[in-house]
Amino acid sequence: MDSENPNYVHGHLEQIEKREVISSHAREKSGGPKIVTRGYVGAPGRQLHYRRSGQGNALVLLSGTPRSSTYYLPLMEHLDDCDVVAIDTPGFGLSDPLKGSWGLHDLAVHIAECLHSLGLQKYSVLGVHAGNKIGTALCCAFPDRIQKFLFAGMTHSIILEKDLRNRSMRESYGDPEATNDPDNPVPSDERLPARWTHVQKNLNALWGSYDPTRPDSIAARSAVRHKVLDEVAGFEIYDDMYAALFSFDLESALRKLQVPTAIIEMISSEEDHLPRQGSLIEAAVPNARSMPIRGDYELLNTRVSEFAGVVKEALKAKI
């Protein structure tokens, strides 16, 4: 059966998204959402998949783990005056993984090379959760290319102190099997059964969250479908990504930033036990400004127009 083929998930994802592009194109002709084009860039075996829409100054979107560029589809509808490029992090969505051992700096270099191949010489960067750390590495490695950095995420994702951030990142999942233990890591191959068990839990929760009777059931179905496919497509490289995130010295990297930075802290009542980080980062990072917003990682689905307003304000602000 095709479902037993290891390439089936990615092939199925490709087919679904082609239909969405055609559908989006048809809707735009009738006054609906804008066209979002898709493509690949990079050498064979190292290809980066991306989505692109709009015109204007370039804005690169980096998502959290295990999400792909589909996470940003609702936001892209609201960014009319930007040349928006949302990428699938290497190893997730439809992007090829990097070979051998790698860290966030390696991801940043690969992404920068691919963006250069797309003709992007100068651009701003929005990174959420894992994307904020990849974005930090990108800004540190290529400060001359970055116009502005939008460093975004829930409090647990942006904590300056490394050990507290790593513990909080693990605890945020509510499942000890969700990620490898940063203090006692297990080889990725040995972790696959535990990872798959966690993915199954997530899939069950996602399907259970979908209610076809809701007025927005079509949009909800699309969001659930994208989450499900992202979970399955990225489960084998998930631990490698978290090993890179856990080992990254975020505080030192942020203190070295040479680009204007907006800190978009997503403040949720679920994290009231954690110290707010926006003002701390603002004080630690040169040319930074805290721009908090109430909500969580799902803001881009639940209150996307509000989040888009913060993004637009950050891009225009003098920092």
Side-chain angles (χ1 to χ4, degrees):
M1 294 177 61
D2 285 341
S3 59
E4 295 174 355
N5 187 316
N7 296 322
Y8 173 77
V9 170
H10 286 77
H12 185 54
L13 184 60
E14 183 85 36
Q15 293 168 12
I16 286 174
E17 291 172 344
K18 281 181 179 177
R19 288 200 302 271
E20 288 179 344
V21 171
I22 293 169
S23 177
S24 176
H25 182 76
R27 287 196 302 267
E28 181 166 43
K29 286 184 176 180
S30 61
K34 68 175 70 173
I35 295 174
V36 177
T37 61
R38 297 171 48 228
Y40 290 88
V41 62
R46 288 173 57 88
Q47 289 193 316
L48 193 76
H49 177 258
Y50 65 90
R51 285 176 164 83
R52 193 169 190 175
S53 68
Q55 295 181 336
N57 293 329
L59 174 62
V60 175
L61 308 181
L62 307 173
S63 61
T65 300
R67 295 308 310 272
S68 68
S69 54
T70 59
Y71 174 69
Y72 285 113
L73 282 173
L75 179 64
M76 293 173 79
E77 296 287 352
H78 292 263
L79 299 177
D80 301 320
D81 53 356
C82 293
D83 175 10
V84 182
V85 180
I87 70 165
D88 292 357
T89 304
F92 296 91
L94 295 174
S95 289
D96 294 328
L98 298 186
K99 307 299 183 184
S101 60
W102 48 268
L104 297 195
H105 175 76
D106 302 293
L107 290 179
V109 170
H110 179 54
I111 290 169
E113 291 173 349
C114 290
L115 294 175
H116 183 76
S117 296
L118 286 175
L120 298 185
Q121 306 299 321
K122 295 277 188 177
Y123 44 87
S124 294
V125 175
L126 165 62
V128 178
H129 283 205
N132 65 41
K133 297 161 194 66
I134 298 171
T136 301
L138 181 63
C139 290
C140 286
F142 302 95
D144 293 341
R145 302 185 189 183
I146 313 299
Q147 294 175 314
K148 193 167 288 183
F149 180 31
L150 280 58
F151 176 85
M154 294 177 65
T155 301
H156 74 266
S157 173
I158 65 172
I159 295 173
L160 279 177
E161 200 275 309
K162 183 177 179 180
D163 290 340
L164 177 59
R165 183 179 65 257
N166 286 349
R167 289 197 306 272
S168 299
M169 285 167 61
R170 286 197 91 211
E171 291 169 0
S172 70
Y173 291 93
D175 182 352
E177 297 299 337
T179 63
N180 213 334
D181 185 342
D183 299 319
N184 298 288
V186 177
S188 294
D189 289 348
E190 296 178 25
R191 283 270 305 156
L192 287 181
R195 276 295 309 144
W196 185 246
T197 297
H198 180 74
V199 168
Q200 287 179 311
K201 291 179 183 178
N202 280 355
L203 299 187
N204 290 336
L206 287 169
W207 286 129
S209 68
Y210 172 61
D211 180 1
T213 65
R214 286 171 44 181
D216 63 343
S217 62
I218 294 178
R221 183 173 68 227
S222 178
V224 168
R225 182 183 68 212
H226 288 315
K227 290 178 185 178
V228 166
L229 293 172
D230 285 350
E231 281 278 355
V232 177
F235 94 96
E236 290 191 44
I237 199 170
Y238 191 97
D239 276 332
D240 293 331
M241 173 59 76
Y242 267 89
L245 294 172
F246 287 145
S247 64
F248 185 59
D249 190 347
L250 178 63
E251 181 175 4
S252 294
L254 284 174
R255 290 183 182 277
K256 295 176 184 176
L257 285 185
Q258 300 176 34
V259 301
T261 302
I263 304 110
I264 305 176
E265 182 174 9
M266 300 173 176
I267 298 176
S268 169
S269 58
E270 296 178 0
E271 297 191 333
D272 282 343
H273 64 288
L274 295 174
R276 300 298 178 215
Q277 296 293 306
S279 58
L280 296 176
I281 300 174
E282 183 180 57
V285 177
N287 304 315
R289 175 180 169 186
S290 177
M291 303 179 68
I293 182 173
R294 278 279 170 188
D296 56 24
Y297 190 64
E298 293 303 318
L299 267 173
L300 275 71
N301 282 315
T302 58
R303 294 178 7 242
V304 63
S305 60
E306 185 178 345
F307 185 80
V310 175
V311 169
K312 293 175 182 178
E313 182 185 353
L315 291 173
K316 294 177 181 177
K318 293 184 178 180
I319 300 176

